[in-house]
C-alpha cells in the first residue's frame, strides 16, 4: 500500500475505534490508562535505548528529547494521575426547563478523532494517549523524526495497556514513518476521519498546520512569556521567581523570555537578579537603562522583544509602570503566560484583569503553565487562541457537548 492508502486506513480504523470508545464506560477507560502506566514502567530499558538512539541523531532541542529513568517515571506518574481524574464525559454543564415543559440539558461528549502532530517531545505521546482515552477520543500520533524511535517504543507500551483493558488498539495509533508527507495527509483530514488537529512544536510547524489544515485546529503558538516586577515587589520573592521562571527549564514554553521591571524599583531589584541569573548561566540582553544598572547585560535590539529563546537567554527592559508593562505585553507577547510580582493588590488585580493571555499569574513562576501543575494530570499543549479552550488542554478541555431534550409529547405550534 502507498503512504496515502496507509494513512486513510489509519483514519478509518480510528473513526471506528472512536465510535466504540464513545460508549465505553469510565472504569474501563481508567483501567486502560493505568495499564499504560504499568507497561511504561515495565519497558524502561527499551524506552531508554530507543531514546538514546534518537538523542544521538538529534539536531537540537536535546533537553526536550532526552529521557532518563526519572523522566520515564514522570511519564508513568502522569498516566496514573490522568487515570484517577473524574470522568469528563456525561457531565451536565447546564440544565433548564422551558415554559412548555421541555427539559433541556447540555452534556459533555467526546470530539471524535484527534490528530496530534508534535516535535521532539516524547512525553506528548503518553500525555496525548491518556488525555484522549480519558475524554473518549481516538488519536493518531505523528511524532517528529527526532523523537520517532522513542515514541514508537512508548506506543508499544500504550498499545499493550489498551489490550490489557480490552480496548481496540486503533484508539491510539502512531504514524510509523518520518516521511513528512504523512503530515499533509493528516492535515487533509484523512477523508473526514479526523475531527481536530493539535500541533505542538515550533513556529514553522504551527504555521504550516494553520495554513494547510482542512479540519479544525487547536492552536499552540510560541511561549513568549513575560514576568513584570512592579515597584511594590518584594526583592527576595522577585529574585526567586525570576530565576525559576527563566532557568528551571529553559526549553519549555512556560519559561519567561522577557523580564520587565518598573523604573521606580529597578535600581534595587535588577542588580541582585541579574547576578543570580548570570551565576545560573543565563545570558542577558537589555535596553540602555538596564545595562546601566547591572553588570553583564549586553545590548538588546528590536528582535529581542517578542522572541522565544528556548535557551538560557533573557531579555530585560525597564518600563515606566504598570500601564507600560501591560502595553508592552500586548505588543510583544504571544498570549501564552504572563506574570506580575507585586505586593500591591490593586496593581496585581489590574494586571490579571487587563493582560489578555491564556494564563496570567501573580507572585509565582511562569513555569507553572502546565496541565500537571493545574491538576489536569497532563496536557497536550497550551492553547493560546481566544476561543475556548484556552490554556492547558487536559481531558475536560478535549470534550464537546450536545443538547439532550426530553419532552412529554410537546409539538411546536
Amino acid at each position: 500500500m502507498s503512504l496515502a492508502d496507509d494513512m486513510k486506513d489509519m483514519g478509518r480504523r480510528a473513526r471506528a475505534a472512536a465510535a466504540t470508545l464513545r460508549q465505553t464506560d469510565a472504569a474501563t477507560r481508567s483501567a486502560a490508562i493505568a495499564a499504560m502506566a504499568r507497561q511504561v514502567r515495565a519497558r524502561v530499558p527499551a524506552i531508554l535505548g530507543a531514546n538514546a538512539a534518537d538523542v544521538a541523531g538529534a539536531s537540537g532541542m536535546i533537553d526536550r528529547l532526552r529521557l532518563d529513568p526519572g523522566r520515564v517515571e514522570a511519564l508513568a506518574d502522569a498516566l496514573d494521575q490522568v487515570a484517577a481524574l473524574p470522568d469528563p464525559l456525561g457531565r451536565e454543564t447546564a440544565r433548564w426547563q422551558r415554559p412548555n415543559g421541555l427539559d433541556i440539558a447540555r452534556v459533555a461528549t467526546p470530539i471524535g478523532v484527534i490528530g496530534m502532530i508534535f516535535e521532539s517531545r516524547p512525553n506528548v505521546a503518553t500525555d496525548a494517549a491518556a488525555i484522549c482515552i480519558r475524554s473518549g477520543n481516538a488519536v493518531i500520533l505523528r511524532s517528529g523524526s527526532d523523537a520517532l524511535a522513542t515514541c514508537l517504543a512508548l506506543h508499544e507500551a500504550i498499545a499493550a495497556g489498551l489490550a490489557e483493558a480490552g480496548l481496540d488498539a486503533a484508539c491510539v495509533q502512531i504514524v510509523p514513518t518520518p516521511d513528512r508527507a504523512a503530515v499533509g495527509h493528516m492535515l487533509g483530514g484523512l477523508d473526514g476521519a479526523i475531527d481536530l488537529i493539535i500541533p505542538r512544536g515550533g513556529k514553522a510547524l504551527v504555521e504550516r498546520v494553520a495554513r494547510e489544515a482542512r479540519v479544525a485546529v487547536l492552536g499552540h503558538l510560541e511561549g513568549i512569556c513575560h514576568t513584570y516586577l512592579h515597584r511594590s515587589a518584594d526583592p527576595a520573592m522577585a529574585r526567586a521567581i525570576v530565576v525559576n521562571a527563566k532557568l528551571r527549564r529553559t526549553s519549555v514554553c512556560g519559561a519567561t523570555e522577557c523580564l520587565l521591571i518598573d523604573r521606580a524599583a529597578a535600581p534595587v531589584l535588577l542588580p541582585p537578579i541579574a547576578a543570580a541569573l548570570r551565576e545560573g548561566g543565563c545570558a542577558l540582553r537589555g535596553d540602555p537603562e538596564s545595562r546601566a544598572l547591572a553588570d553583564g547585560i549586553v545590548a538588546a535590539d528590536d528582535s529581542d522583544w517578542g522572541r522565544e529563546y528556548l535557551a538560557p537567554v533573557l531579555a530585560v527592559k525597564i518600563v515606566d509602570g504598570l500601564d507600560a508593562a501591560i502595553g508592552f505585553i500586548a505588543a510583544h507577547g504571544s498570549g501564552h503566560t504572563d506574570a506580575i510580582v507585586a505586593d500591591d493588590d490593586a496593581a496585581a488585580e489590574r494586571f490579571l484583569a487587563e493582560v489578555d493571555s491564556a494564563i496570567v499569574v501573580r507572585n509565582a513562576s511562569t513555569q507553572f503553565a502546565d496541565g500537571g501543575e493545574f491538576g489536569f494530570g497532563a496536557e497536550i499543549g497550551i492553547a493560546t487562541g481566544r476561543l475556548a479552550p484556552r490554556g492547558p488542554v487536559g481531558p475536560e478541555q478535549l470534550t464537546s457537548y450536545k443538547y439532550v431534550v426530553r419532552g412529554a409529547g410537546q409539538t411546536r405550534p
Side-chain angles (χ1 to χ4, degrees):
M1 295 174 67
S2 67
L3 177 62
D5 290 335
D6 286 342
M7 295 299 298
K8 288 178 181 178
D9 183 60
M10 291 182 75
R12 286 190 292 269
R13 288 187 285 123
R15 175 57 65 190
T20 300
L21 191 59
R22 178 181 290 268
Q23 304 303 322
T24 301
D25 62 79
T28 300
R29 286 182 276 115
S30 293
I33 301 166
M36 292 178 197
R38 289 194 296 273
Q39 292 291 340
V40 166
R41 292 187 175 101
R43 297 162 187 259
V44 172
I47 292 167
L48 292 180
N51 183 249
D54 278 338
V55 169
S59 56
M61 296 298 178
I62 299 299
D63 181 59
R64 288 182 172 183
L65 174 59
R66 180 181 288 117
L67 295 178
D68 56 33
R71 287 188 176 184
V72 176
E73 178 59 28
L75 300 185
D77 283 344
L79 289 165
D80 283 333
Q81 290 172 37
V82 175
L85 290 175
D87 185 26
L89 300 180
R91 293 173 296 114
E92 287 189 355
T93 58
R95 188 167 186 171
W96 63 98
Q97 284 73 43
R98 299 292 295 146
N100 61 6
L102 288 179
D103 181 275
I104 304 174
R106 187 169 65 234
V107 180
T109 63
I111 293 170
V113 177
I114 310 299
M116 188 79 210
I117 303 172
F118 57 101
E119 298 174 336
S120 302
R121 295 170 170 89
N123 65 292
V124 176
T126 50
D127 287 353
I131 289 169
C132 287
I133 296 299
R134 176 78 281 168
S135 55
N137 297 294
V139 62
I140 298 174
L141 305 170
R142 200 284 178 179
S143 165
S145 58
D146 283 356
L148 182 56
T150 309
C151 290
L152 288 170
L154 289 169
H155 182 258
E156 290 184 4
I158 292 166
L162 291 170
E164 187 177 326
L167 293 183
D168 187 345
C171 289
V172 182
Q173 299 177 76
I174 186 168
V175 178
T177 173
D179 190 336
R180 293 189 178 186
V183 174
H185 291 298
M186 291 180 68
L187 297 181
L190 304 183
D191 285 345
I194 293 179
D195 296 294
L196 178 68
I197 291 283
I198 304 178
R200 187 166 181 188
K203 186 175 183 179
L205 170 64
V206 175
E207 288 180 344
R208 179 188 177 187
V209 170
R211 182 175 62 251
E212 298 181 16
R214 297 294 179 266
V215 296
V217 174
L218 183 59
H220 172 114
L221 297 180
E222 297 170 288
I224 303 171
C225 304
H226 298 77
T227 295
Y228 166 55
L229 306 183
H230 185 258
R231 67 187 64 190
S232 68
D234 175 79
M237 178 188 292
R239 178 182 177 277
I241 287 174
V242 172
V243 170
N244 181 267
K246 178 68 250 183
L247 294 180
R248 172 190 163 270
R249 287 189 69 183
T250 60
S251 63
V252 298
C253 60
T256 286
E257 304 288 22
C258 184
L259 174 64
L260 304 175
I261 308 180
D262 193 315
R263 180 172 286 112
V268 172
L269 295 176
L270 180 56
I273 289 173
L277 289 166
R278 291 197 313 274
E279 184 178 345
C282 185
L284 303 176
R285 302 178 185 178
D287 62 356
E289 285 188 77
S290 65
R291 287 161 46 220
L293 291 172
D295 296 331
I297 303 178
V298 302
D301 59 34
D302 287 345
S303 69
D304 288 302
W305 316 128
R307 180 171 177 179
E308 186 181 36
Y309 296 108
L310 299 176
V313 181
L314 179 67
V316 182
K317 186 172 181 61
I318 307 301
V319 294
D320 191 19
L322 181 61
D323 287 335
I326 293 171
F328 187 91
I329 291 169
H332 299 284
S334 61
H336 191 292
T337 302
D338 296 290
I340 182 172
V341 181
D343 283 347
D344 185 319
D345 291 339
E349 290 305 313
R350 265 199 64 204
F351 182 95
L352 298 178
E354 296 183 23
V355 172
D356 189 17
S357 296
I359 304 170
V360 287
V361 181
R362 178 188 181 185
N363 290 347
S365 170
T366 57
Q367 299 229 1
F368 283 106
D370 174 85
E373 295 297 329
F374 274 45
F376 299 169
E379 42 116 308
I380 51 176
I382 307 288
T384 54
R386 285 181 169 81
L387 297 179
R390 280 185 103 183
V393 178
E396 183 178 332
Q397 291 71 36
L398 212 58
T399 60
S400 183
Y401 56 84
K402 63 183 177 183
Y403 290 99
V404 177
V405 181
R406 296 178 174 89
Q410 291 92 333
T411 59
R412 184 171 178 177

